[in-house]
C-alpha cells in the first residue's frame, strides 16, 4: 500500500508503534486503547519495562532494550533517531504511531513506504518547548536542540495524517512541524471511575481510616511530586482560602512539599502513592481539585469531574479543554495563588453537575471509535 492509500481499519496488516512501555502512564493507556481498537495489530517499541502489559500481543523491542541506555531516557534520546529508521521489516500495510519523543520517525529498514498515521501526545518537549520541561533547559540540550528540530521537522512530513491529543498540542504541531492535525482526546476510564460501588470495596481498612482522618473541607492537588506540576501553588492557594489541602502522589519533591506544608497556616496532608481506589475517594470527597500544571491534555481533571468534583486550572494548557468554565470548573486568570484562590472560591460555589454525563466524551469507547475512523479515513 502506498502512503497515499487509506489503510483498512480491521488491524490485520497493521503495526502499533510506541516510544517505550512503562508500568504506568497516560501514553501507555492510549496504546492499550489503540490495541483494543486494532486487535490484530502487533506492537513495536524501543523497550518495555512492563512485559505484563499487552501480554496478548507480540511486542517487539529494539536493540536499545539490551543496553543500559534503557535506564536513562535522556542518554538514549540521540540513539532513538537512527533506531527508529531501521525497524525490522514486516508484512504490513500501515502503522499507527503513539509519539511523544521521536517514535513518529519510525520506518522499516529497506522496505517500501508504508502508510503512517501519527497520534501526537506532544512534539518532544525538551527539544521544542523547554520552558515546559526542565530536561530541555540545560546548556548541552539547548546547544543541540536546533539540530534535533531540523531532523524532527523533516521527518514530520512523512505521516499520511496526524492526530493531536488536544487543541493545545494541535497548535504546537502546527508551530513546530508546520503540519495540520485533528484533535482526538485520549481515553479516560470515566465509566469505571464514576461507578462507585465497583471500586469503593477496594479500599483497605487502613485507607478508610486515612480518608476519615482528613480535615474537611479540603482542596485536592494530585499529580507526580515534581517541580513543573506546581503543587506548591496548591498549598499557597489553600493558605489564602483558609481551607485544608491534600496532596496525592509521589515523586522527588516530596521533602520540599513537606517543608512548605509545615509552614502553612492550614492543615496540609500528603497522601503518598495512593491506590486507584483511594485516589478516586479523594476526588469524590474534595471540595475542588486545584490543578496548576500546564499539561498537554490533563487526565486528572477529567477523573475528578467524573465524580462530580469541580476543577480549577490556570489559563494555559490542554487541561482547559476538559471542562466547561462555570459549569464543571473555573479557569483562573493566572497561576498566581491569588488568582487560583479567587477561581477556587467560584468553583466552590458552582451548582452540582452530572459527572458521568460531563465526561462521557472522553470515554475509551469514544476514543477507540475515533482512532479507527482516523486510520481508515
Amino acid at each position: 500500500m502506498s502512503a497515499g492509500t487509506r489503510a483498512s481499519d480491521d488491524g490485520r496488516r497493521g503495526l502499533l508503534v510506541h516510544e517505550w512501555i512503562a508500568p504506568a502512564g497516560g501514553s501507555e493507556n492510549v496504546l492499550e486503547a489503540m490495541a483494543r481498537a486494532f486487535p490484530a495489530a502487533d506492537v513495536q517499541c524501543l523497550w518495555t519495562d512492563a512485559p505484563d502489559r499487552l501480554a496478548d500481543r507480540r511486542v517487539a523491542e529494539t536493540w536499545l532494550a539490551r543496553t543500559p541506555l534503557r535506564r536513562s531516557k535522556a542518554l538514549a534520546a540521540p540513539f532513538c533517531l537512527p533506531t527508529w529508521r531501521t525497524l525490522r521489516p514486516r508484512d504490513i500495510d500501515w502503522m499507527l504511531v503513539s509519539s511523544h519523543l521521536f517514535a513518529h520517525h519510525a520506518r522499516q529498514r529497506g522496505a517500501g513506504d508504508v502508510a503512517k498515521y501519527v497520534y501526537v501526545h506532544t512534539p518532544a518537549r525538551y527539544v521544542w518547548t523547554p520552558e515546559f520541561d526542565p530536561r530541555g533547559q540545560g546548556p548541552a540540550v539547548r546547544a543541540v536542540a536546533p539540530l534535533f528540530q531540523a531532523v524532527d521537522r523533516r521527518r514530520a512530513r512523512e505521516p499520511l495524517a496526524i492526530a493531536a491529543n488536544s487543541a493545545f498540542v494541535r497548535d504546537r504541531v502546527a508551530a513546530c512541524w508546520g503540519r495540520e492535525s485533528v484533535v482526538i482526546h485520549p481515553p479516560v476510564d470515566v465509566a469505571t471511575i464514576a461507578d462507585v460501588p465497583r471500586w469503593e470495596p477496594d479500599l483497605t481498612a487502613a485507607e478508610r481510616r486515612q480518608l476519615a482522618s482528613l480535615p474537611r473541607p479540603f482542596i485536592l492537588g494530585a499529580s507526580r511530586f515534581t517541580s513543573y506540576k506546581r503543587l506548591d501553588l496548591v498549598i499557597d492557594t489553600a493558605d489564602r482560602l483558609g481551607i485544608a489541602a491534600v496532596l496525592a502522589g509521589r515523586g522527588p519533591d516530596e521533602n520540599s512539599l513537606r517543608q512548605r506544608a509545615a509552614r502553612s497556616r492550614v492543615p496540609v496532608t500528603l497522601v503518598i502513592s495512593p491506590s486507584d481506589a483511594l485516589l478516586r475517594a479523594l476526588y469524590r470527597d474534595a471540595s475542588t481539585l486545584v490543578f496548576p500544571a500546564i499539561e498537554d491534555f490533563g487526565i486528572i481533571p477529567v477523573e475528578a469531574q467524573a465524580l462530580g468534583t469541580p476543577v480549577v486550572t490556570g489559563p494555559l494548557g490542554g487541561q482547559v479543554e476538559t471542562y466547561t468554565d462555570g459549569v464543571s470548573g473555573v479557569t483562573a486568570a493566572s497561576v498566581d495563588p491569588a488568582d487560583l484562590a479567587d477561581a477556587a472560591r467560584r468553583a466552590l460555589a458552582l451548582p452540582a453537575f452530572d459527572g458521568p454525563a460531563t465526561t462521557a466524551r472522553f470515554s475509551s469507547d469514544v476514543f477507540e471509535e475515533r482512532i479507527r475512523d482516523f486510520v481508515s479515513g
Side-chain angles (χ1 to χ4, degrees), residues 258-289:
R258 288 192 183 280
Q259 292 169 10
R260 197 178 193 97
R263 298 193 298 268
S264 177
R265 293 173 295 178
V266 297
V268 179
T269 305
L270 273 64
V271 178
I272 306 302
S273 300
S275 66
D276 287 345
L278 179 55
L279 181 58
R280 291 165 185 171
L282 292 171
Y283 288 146
R284 179 198 59 197
D285 290 0
S287 297
T288 185
L289 171 81

PDB file of all heavy atoms in Angstrom, residues 258-289:
ATOM      1  N   ARG A 258       6.750  18.802  51.880  1.00  0.00           N
ATOM      2  CA  ARG A 258       6.508  18.645  53.318  1.00  0.00           C
ATOM      3  C   ARG A 258       6.991  19.879  54.081  1.00  0.00           C
ATOM      4  O   ARG A 258       6.326  20.344  55.028  1.00  0.00           O
ATOM      5  CB  ARG A 258       7.207  17.393  53.844  1.00  0.00           C
ATOM      6  CG  ARG A 258       6.560  16.093  53.398  1.00  0.00           C
ATOM      7  CD  ARG A 258       7.094  14.912  54.178  1.00  0.00           C
ATOM      8  NE  ARG A 258       6.535  13.654  53.706  1.00  0.00           N
ATOM      9  CZ  ARG A 258       5.327  13.199  54.036  1.00  0.00           C
ATOM     10  NH1 ARG A 258       4.558  13.905  54.854  1.00  0.00           N
ATOM     11  NH2 ARG A 258       4.889  12.038  53.570  1.00  0.00           N
ATOM     12  N   GLN A 259       8.136  20.416  53.684  1.00  0.00           N
ATOM     13  CA  GLN A 259       8.642  21.614  54.347  1.00  0.00           C
ATOM     14  C   GLN A 259       7.707  22.799  54.124  1.00  0.00           C
ATOM     15  O   GLN A 259       7.432  23.581  55.045  1.00  0.00           O
ATOM     16  CB  GLN A 259      10.045  21.932  53.829  1.00  0.00           C
ATOM     17  CG  GLN A 259      11.091  20.908  54.239  1.00  0.00           C
ATOM     18  CD  GLN A 259      12.409  21.073  53.504  1.00  0.00           C
ATOM     19  OE1 GLN A 259      12.628  22.074  52.812  1.00  0.00           O
ATOM     20  NE2 GLN A 259      13.285  20.089  53.637  1.00  0.00           N
ATOM     21  N   ARG A 260       7.208  22.921  52.905  1.00  0.00           N
ATOM     22  CA  ARG A 260       6.276  24.015  52.623  1.00  0.00           C
ATOM     23  C   ARG A 260       4.969  23.812  53.391  1.00  0.00           C
ATOM     24  O   ARG A 260       4.371  24.766  53.896  1.00  0.00           O
ATOM     25  CB  ARG A 260       6.005  24.098  51.119  1.00  0.00           C
ATOM     26  CG  ARG A 260       5.392  25.426  50.680  1.00  0.00           C
ATOM     27  CD  ARG A 260       5.209  25.456  49.176  1.00  0.00           C
ATOM     28  NE  ARG A 260       4.929  26.782  48.687  1.00  0.00           N
ATOM     29  CZ  ARG A 260       5.833  27.616  48.184  1.00  0.00           C
ATOM     30  NH1 ARG A 260       7.107  27.224  48.125  1.00  0.00           N
ATOM     31  NH2 ARG A 260       5.495  28.813  47.760  1.00  0.00           N
ATOM     32  N   ALA A 261       4.524  22.562  53.460  1.00  0.00           N
ATOM     33  CA  ALA A 261       3.299  22.262  54.196  1.00  0.00           C
ATOM     34  C   ALA A 261       3.444  22.621  55.674  1.00  0.00           C
ATOM     35  O   ALA A 261       2.491  23.110  56.306  1.00  0.00           O
ATOM     36  CB  ALA A 261       2.948  20.788  54.038  1.00  0.00           C
ATOM     37  N   ALA A 262       4.623  22.385  56.241  1.00  0.00           N
ATOM     38  CA  ALA A 262       4.843  22.675  57.654  1.00  0.00           C
ATOM     39  C   ALA A 262       4.752  24.174  57.939  1.00  0.00           C
ATOM     40  O   ALA A 262       4.438  24.577  59.069  1.00  0.00           O
ATOM     41  CB  ALA A 262       6.207  22.138  58.089  1.00  0.00           C
ATOM     42  N   ARG A 263       5.009  25.003  56.935  1.00  0.00           N
ATOM     43  CA  ARG A 263       4.950  26.455  57.113  1.00  0.00           C
ATOM     44  C   ARG A 263       3.555  27.016  56.855  1.00  0.00           C
ATOM     45  O   ARG A 263       3.307  28.203  57.057  1.00  0.00           O
ATOM     46  CB  ARG A 263       5.953  27.144  56.179  1.00  0.00           C
ATOM     47  CG  ARG A 263       7.406  26.775  56.436  1.00  0.00           C
ATOM     48  CD  ARG A 263       8.351  27.711  55.711  1.00  0.00           C
ATOM     49  NE  ARG A 263       8.190  27.641  54.254  1.00  0.00           N
ATOM     50  CZ  ARG A 263       8.888  26.827  53.462  1.00  0.00           C
ATOM     51  NH1 ARG A 263       9.773  25.984  54.002  1.00  0.00           N
ATOM     52  NH2 ARG A 263       8.710  26.828  52.156  1.00  0.00           N
ATOM     53  N   SER A 264       2.652  26.184  56.369  1.00  0.00           N
ATOM     54  CA  SER A 264       1.322  26.656  56.009  1.00  0.00           C
ATOM     55  C   SER A 264       0.487  26.940  57.257  1.00  0.00           C
ATOM     56  O   SER A 264       0.643  26.305  58.297  1.00  0.00           O
ATOM     57  CB  SER A 264       0.619  25.612  55.143  1.00  0.00           C
ATOM     58  OG  SER A 264      -0.697  26.015  54.843  1.00  0.00           O
ATOM     59  N   ARG A 265      -0.446  27.866  57.109  1.00  0.00           N
ATOM     60  CA  ARG A 265      -1.347  28.205  58.211  1.00  0.00           C
ATOM     61  C   ARG A 265      -2.563  27.280  58.261  1.00  0.00           C
ATOM     62  O   ARG A 265      -3.379  27.372  59.181  1.00  0.00           O
ATOM     63  CB  ARG A 265      -1.808  29.659  58.078  1.00  0.00           C
ATOM     64  CG  ARG A 265      -0.673  30.668  58.272  1.00  0.00           C
ATOM     65  CD  ARG A 265      -1.145  32.071  57.961  1.00  0.00           C
ATOM     66  NE  ARG A 265      -1.494  32.199  56.533  1.00  0.00           N
ATOM     67  CZ  ARG A 265      -1.969  33.320  55.989  1.00  0.00           C
ATOM     68  NH1 ARG A 265      -2.179  34.386  56.737  1.00  0.00           N
ATOM     69  NH2 ARG A 265      -2.239  33.364  54.690  1.00  0.00           N
ATOM     70  N   VAL A 266      -2.706  26.424  57.256  1.00  0.00           N
ATOM     71  CA  VAL A 266      -3.822  25.479  57.227  1.00  0.00           C
ATOM     72  C   VAL A 266      -3.255  24.059  57.214  1.00  0.00           C
ATOM     73  O   VAL A 266      -2.102  23.844  56.817  1.00  0.00           O
ATOM     74  CB  VAL A 266      -4.716  25.706  55.984  1.00  0.00           C
ATOM     75  CG1 VAL A 266      -5.341  27.090  56.025  1.00  0.00           C
ATOM     76  CG2 VAL A 266      -3.948  25.478  54.690  1.00  0.00           C
ATOM     77  N   PRO A 267      -4.034  23.083  57.625  1.00  0.00           N
ATOM     78  CA  PRO A 267      -3.545  21.697  57.590  1.00  0.00           C
ATOM     79  C   PRO A 267      -3.278  21.247  56.145  1.00  0.00           C
ATOM     80  O   PRO A 267      -4.096  21.471  55.255  1.00  0.00           O
ATOM     81  CB  PRO A 267      -4.693  20.891  58.206  1.00  0.00           C
ATOM     82  CG  PRO A 267      -5.503  21.880  58.966  1.00  0.00           C
ATOM     83  CD  PRO A 267      -5.371  23.178  58.245  1.00  0.00           C
ATOM     84  N   VAL A 268      -2.128  20.629  55.931  1.00  0.00           N
ATOM     85  CA  VAL A 268      -1.776  20.078  54.622  1.00  0.00           C
ATOM     86  C   VAL A 268      -1.357  18.625  54.829  1.00  0.00           C
ATOM     87  O   VAL A 268      -0.437  18.345  55.599  1.00  0.00           O
ATOM     88  CB  VAL A 268      -0.637  20.860  53.943  1.00  0.00           C
ATOM     89  CG1 VAL A 268      -0.291  20.225  52.592  1.00  0.00           C
ATOM     90  CG2 VAL A 268      -1.021  22.329  53.760  1.00  0.00           C
ATOM     91  N   THR A 269      -2.028  17.718  54.139  1.00  0.00           N
ATOM     92  CA  THR A 269      -1.748  16.287  54.272  1.00  0.00           C
ATOM     93  C   THR A 269      -1.233  15.746  52.954  1.00  0.00           C
ATOM     94  O   THR A 269      -1.819  16.005  51.900  1.00  0.00           O
ATOM     95  CB  THR A 269      -3.026  15.505  54.659  1.00  0.00           C
ATOM     96  OG1 THR A 269      -3.579  16.068  55.846  1.00  0.00           O
ATOM     97  CG2 THR A 269      -2.716  14.035  54.876  1.00  0.00           C
ATOM     98  N   LEU A 270      -0.125  15.011  53.005  1.00  0.00           N
ATOM     99  CA  LEU A 270       0.412  14.341  51.823  1.00  0.00           C
ATOM    100  C   LEU A 270      -0.005  12.881  51.856  1.00  0.00           C
ATOM    101  O   LEU A 270       0.244  12.183  52.858  1.00  0.00           O
ATOM    102  CB  LEU A 270       1.931  14.455  51.764  1.00  0.00           C
ATOM    103  CG  LEU A 270       2.511  15.709  51.089  1.00  0.00           C
ATOM    104  CD1 LEU A 270       2.140  16.976  51.846  1.00  0.00           C
ATOM    105  CD2 LEU A 270       4.029  15.595  50.945  1.00  0.00           C
ATOM    106  N   VAL A 271      -0.664  12.426  50.805  1.00  0.00           N
ATOM    107  CA  VAL A 271      -1.054  11.022  50.670  1.00  0.00           C
ATOM    108  C   VAL A 271      -0.131  10.419  49.620  1.00  0.00           C
ATOM    109  O   VAL A 271      -0.228  10.744  48.432  1.00  0.00           O
ATOM    110  CB  VAL A 271      -2.529  10.887  50.258  1.00  0.00           C
ATOM    111  CG1 VAL A 271      -2.894   9.415  50.074  1.00  0.00           C
ATOM    112  CG2 VAL A 271      -3.434  11.546  51.295  1.00  0.00           C
ATOM    113  N   ILE A 272       0.776   9.574  50.066  1.00  0.00           N
ATOM    114  CA  ILE A 272       1.833   9.069  49.203  1.00  0.00           C
ATOM    115  C   ILE A 272       1.384   7.797  48.485  1.00  0.00           C
ATOM    116  O   ILE A 272       0.882   6.859  49.107  1.00  0.00           O
ATOM    117  CB  ILE A 272       3.121   8.797  50.022  1.00  0.00           C
ATOM    118  CG1 ILE A 272       3.513  10.055  50.803  1.00  0.00           C
ATOM    119  CG2 ILE A 272       4.251   8.350  49.100  1.00  0.00           C
ATOM    120  CD1 ILE A 272       3.744  11.292  49.954  1.00  0.00           C
ATOM    121  N   SER A 273       1.584   7.790  47.175  1.00  0.00           N
ATOM    122  CA  SER A 273       1.289   6.625  46.335  1.00  0.00           C
ATOM    123  C   SER A 273      -0.103   6.050  46.600  1.00  0.00           C
ATOM    124  O   SER A 273      -0.252   4.855  46.918  1.00  0.00           O
ATOM    125  CB  SER A 273       2.355   5.536  46.535  1.00  0.00           C
ATOM    126  OG  SER A 273       3.630   6.012  46.191  1.00  0.00           O
ATOM    127  N   PRO A 274      -1.139   6.860  46.480  1.00  0.00           N
ATOM    128  CA  PRO A 274      -2.479   6.325  46.732  1.00  0.00           C
ATOM    129  C   PRO A 274      -2.852   5.264  45.696  1.00  0.00           C
ATOM    130  O   PRO A 274      -2.481   5.350  44.526  1.00  0.00           O
ATOM    131  CB  PRO A 274      -3.383   7.558  46.592  1.00  0.00           C
ATOM    132  CG  PRO A 274      -2.632   8.468  45.664  1.00  0.00           C
ATOM    133  CD  PRO A 274      -1.185   8.259  46.006  1.00  0.00           C
ATOM    134  N   SER A 275      -3.598   4.259  46.140  1.00  0.00           N
ATOM    135  CA  SER A 275      -4.146   3.286  45.202  1.00  0.00           C
ATOM    136  C   SER A 275      -5.173   3.981  44.315  1.00  0.00           C
ATOM    137  O   SER A 275      -5.618   5.102  44.605  1.00  0.00           O
ATOM    138  CB  SER A 275      -4.807   2.143  45.963  1.00  0.00           C
ATOM    139  OG  SER A 275      -5.955   2.625  46.668  1.00  0.00           O
ATOM    140  N   ASP A 276      -5.553   3.309  43.235  1.00  0.00           N
ATOM    141  CA  ASP A 276      -6.585   3.886  42.367  1.00  0.00           C
ATOM    142  C   ASP A 276      -7.862   4.150  43.160  1.00  0.00           C
ATOM    143  O   ASP A 276      -8.496   5.201  42.997  1.00  0.00           O
ATOM    144  CB  ASP A 276      -6.890   2.940  41.209  1.00  0.00           C
ATOM    145  CG  ASP A 276      -5.773   2.895  40.177  1.00  0.00           C
ATOM    146  OD1 ASP A 276      -4.897   3.790  40.208  1.00  0.00           O
ATOM    147  OD2 ASP A 276      -5.766   1.969  39.344  1.00  0.00           O
ATOM    148  N   ALA A 277      -8.245   3.212  44.009  1.00  0.00           N
ATOM    149  CA  ALA A 277      -9.477   3.371  44.772  1.00  0.00           C
ATOM    150  C   ALA A 277      -9.390   4.544  45.736  1.00  0.00           C
ATOM    151  O   ALA A 277     -10.339   5.335  45.871  1.00  0.00           O
ATOM    152  CB  ALA A 277      -9.797   2.086  45.532  1.00  0.00           C
ATOM    153  N   LEU A 278      -8.241   4.696  46.404  1.00  0.00           N
ATOM    154  CA  LEU A 278      -8.092   5.810  47.348  1.00  0.00           C
ATOM    155  C   LEU A 278      -8.069   7.145  46.602  1.00  0.00           C
ATOM    156  O   LEU A 278      -8.672   8.128  47.054  1.00  0.00           O
ATOM    157  CB  LEU A 278      -6.825   5.633  48.178  1.00  0.00           C
ATOM    158  CG  LEU A 278      -6.538   6.750  49.201  1.00  0.00           C
ATOM    159  CD1 LEU A 278      -7.724   6.953  50.139  1.00  0.00           C
ATOM    160  CD2 LEU A 278      -5.267   6.447  49.989  1.00  0.00           C
ATOM    161  N   LEU A 279      -7.395   7.194  45.465  1.00  0.00           N
ATOM    162  CA  LEU A 279      -7.364   8.438  44.701  1.00  0.00           C
ATOM    163  C   LEU A 279      -8.783   8.829  44.274  1.00  0.00           C
ATOM    164  O   LEU A 279      -9.166  10.006  44.343  1.00  0.00           O
ATOM    165  CB  LEU A 279      -6.459   8.282  43.478  1.00  0.00           C
ATOM    166  CG  LEU A 279      -6.311   9.534  42.589  1.00  0.00           C
ATOM    167  CD1 LEU A 279      -5.769  10.718  43.387  1.00  0.00           C
ATOM    168  CD2 LEU A 279      -5.394   9.238  41.406  1.00  0.00           C
ATOM    169  N   ARG A 280      -9.571   7.862  43.856  1.00  0.00           N
ATOM    170  CA  ARG A 280     -10.949   8.163  43.456  1.00  0.00           C
ATOM    171  C   ARG A 280     -11.768   8.643  44.645  1.00  0.00           C
ATOM    172  O   ARG A 280     -12.610   9.549  44.506  1.00  0.00           O
ATOM    173  CB  ARG A 280     -11.573   6.930  42.805  1.00  0.00           C
ATOM    174  CG  ARG A 280     -10.960   6.622  41.463  1.00  0.00           C
ATOM    175  CD  ARG A 280     -11.284   5.221  40.971  1.00  0.00           C
ATOM    176  NE  ARG A 280     -10.563   4.936  39.724  1.00  0.00           N
ATOM    177  CZ  ARG A 280     -10.511   3.750  39.146  1.00  0.00           C
ATOM    178  NH1 ARG A 280     -11.151   2.719  39.706  1.00  0.00           N
ATOM    179  NH2 ARG A 280      -9.834   3.582  38.031  1.00  0.00           N
ATOM    180  N   ALA A 281     -11.518   8.062  45.814  1.00  0.00           N
ATOM    181  CA  ALA A 281     -12.206   8.531  47.009  1.00  0.00           C
ATOM    182  C   ALA A 281     -11.807   9.971  47.343  1.00  0.00           C
ATOM    183  O   ALA A 281     -12.649  10.772  47.786  1.00  0.00           O
ATOM    184  CB  ALA A 281     -11.907   7.605  48.184  1.00  0.00           C
ATOM    185  N   LEU A 282     -10.544  10.317  47.119  1.00  0.00           N
ATOM    186  CA  LEU A 282     -10.096  11.689  47.343  1.00  0.00           C
ATOM    187  C   LEU A 282     -10.755  12.646  46.351  1.00  0.00           C
ATOM    188  O   LEU A 282     -11.169  13.752  46.721  1.00  0.00           O
ATOM    189  CB  LEU A 282      -8.573  11.767  47.236  1.00  0.00           C
ATOM    190  CG  LEU A 282      -7.785  11.055  48.339  1.00  0.00           C
ATOM    191  CD1 LEU A 282      -6.296  11.019  47.993  1.00  0.00           C
ATOM    192  CD2 LEU A 282      -7.999  11.751  49.687  1.00  0.00           C
ATOM    193  N   TYR A 283     -10.833  12.225  45.084  1.00  0.00           N
ATOM    194  CA  TYR A 283     -11.556  13.045  44.104  1.00  0.00           C
ATOM    195  C   TYR A 283     -12.978  13.322  44.593  1.00  0.00           C
ATOM    196  O   TYR A 283     -13.463  14.455  44.553  1.00  0.00           O
ATOM    197  CB  TYR A 283     -11.673  12.304  42.765  1.00  0.00           C
ATOM    198  CG  TYR A 283     -10.427  12.155  41.930  1.00  0.00           C
ATOM    199  CD1 TYR A 283     -10.236  11.003  41.157  1.00  0.00           C
ATOM    200  CD2 TYR A 283      -9.462  13.150  41.872  1.00  0.00           C
ATOM    201  CE1 TYR A 283      -9.130  10.850  40.352  1.00  0.00           C
ATOM    202  CE2 TYR A 283      -8.335  12.994  41.075  1.00  0.00           C
ATOM    203  CZ  TYR A 283      -8.178  11.846  40.313  1.00  0.00           C
ATOM    204  OH  TYR A 283      -7.066  11.699  39.522  1.00  0.00           O
ATOM    205  N   ARG A 284     -13.653  12.267  45.016  1.00  0.00           N
ATOM    206  CA  ARG A 284     -15.055  12.376  45.414  1.00  0.00           C
ATOM    207  C   ARG A 284     -15.229  13.288  46.620  1.00  0.00           C
ATOM    208  O   ARG A 284     -16.175  14.097  46.682  1.00  0.00           O
ATOM    209  CB  ARG A 284     -15.597  10.979  45.725  1.00  0.00           C
ATOM    210  CG  ARG A 284     -17.049  10.944  46.175  1.00  0.00           C
ATOM    211  CD  ARG A 284     -17.341   9.619  46.864  1.00  0.00           C
ATOM    212  NE  ARG A 284     -16.463   9.420  48.028  1.00  0.00           N
ATOM    213  CZ  ARG A 284     -16.268   8.247  48.614  1.00  0.00           C
ATOM    214  NH1 ARG A 284     -16.846   7.161  48.140  1.00  0.00           N
ATOM    215  NH2 ARG A 284     -15.477   8.149  49.674  1.00  0.00           N
ATOM    216  N   ASP A 285     -14.330  13.201  47.601  1.00  0.00           N
ATOM    217  CA  ASP A 285     -14.503  13.928  48.852  1.00  0.00           C
ATOM    218  C   ASP A 285     -13.971  15.356  48.805  1.00  0.00           C
ATOM    219  O   ASP A 285     -14.306  16.172  49.671  1.00  0.00           O
ATOM    220  CB  ASP A 285     -13.819  13.178  50.002  1.00  0.00           C
ATOM    221  CG  ASP A 285     -14.539  11.886  50.364  1.00  0.00           C
ATOM    222  OD1 ASP A 285     -15.568  11.575  49.718  1.00  0.00           O
ATOM    223  OD2 ASP A 285     -14.076  11.177  51.275  1.00  0.00           O
ATOM    224  N   ALA A 286     -13.122  15.663  47.822  1.00  0.00           N
ATOM    225  CA  ALA A 286     -12.557  17.010  47.738  1.00  0.00           C
ATOM    226  C   ALA A 286     -13.627  18.033  47.378  1.00  0.00           C
ATOM    227  O   ALA A 286     -14.571  17.740  46.632  1.00  0.00           O
ATOM    228  CB  ALA A 286     -11.439  17.043  46.704  1.00  0.00           C
ATOM    229  N   SER A 287     -13.467  19.245  47.896  1.00  0.00           N
ATOM    230  CA  SER A 287     -14.376  20.329  47.523  1.00  0.00           C
ATOM    231  C   SER A 287     -14.084  20.814  46.113  1.00  0.00           C
ATOM    232  O   SER A 287     -15.002  21.179  45.372  1.00  0.00           O
ATOM    233  CB  SER A 287     -14.234  21.484  48.513  1.00  0.00           C
ATOM    234  OG  SER A 287     -14.624  21.078  49.805  1.00  0.00           O
ATOM    235  N   THR A 288     -12.829  20.812  45.739  1.00  0.00           N
ATOM    236  CA  THR A 288     -12.426  21.136  44.373  1.00  0.00           C
ATOM    237  C   THR A 288     -11.019  20.607  44.141  1.00  0.00           C
ATOM    238  O   THR A 288     -10.250  20.431  45.098  1.00  0.00           O
ATOM    239  CB  THR A 288     -12.478  22.656  44.101  1.00  0.00           C
ATOM    240  OG1 THR A 288     -12.193  22.916  42.725  1.00  0.00           O
ATOM    241  CG2 THR A 288     -11.458  23.414  44.939  1.00  0.00           C
ATOM    242  N   LEU A 289     -10.695  20.321  42.895  1.00  0.00           N
ATOM    243  CA  LEU A 289      -9.337  19.947  42.504  1.00  0.00           C
ATOM    244  C   LEU A 289      -8.652  21.190  41.957  1.00  0.00           C
ATOM    245  O   LEU A 289      -9.168  21.838  41.031  1.00  0.00           O
ATOM    246  CB  LEU A 289      -9.364  18.872  41.421  1.00  0.00           C
ATOM    247  CG  LEU A 289      -8.013  18.545  40.779  1.00  0.00           C
ATOM    248  CD1 LEU A 289      -7.220  17.595  41.670  1.00  0.00           C
ATOM    249  CD2 LEU A 289      -8.191  17.940  39.389  1.00  0.00           C
TER     250      LEU A 289
END
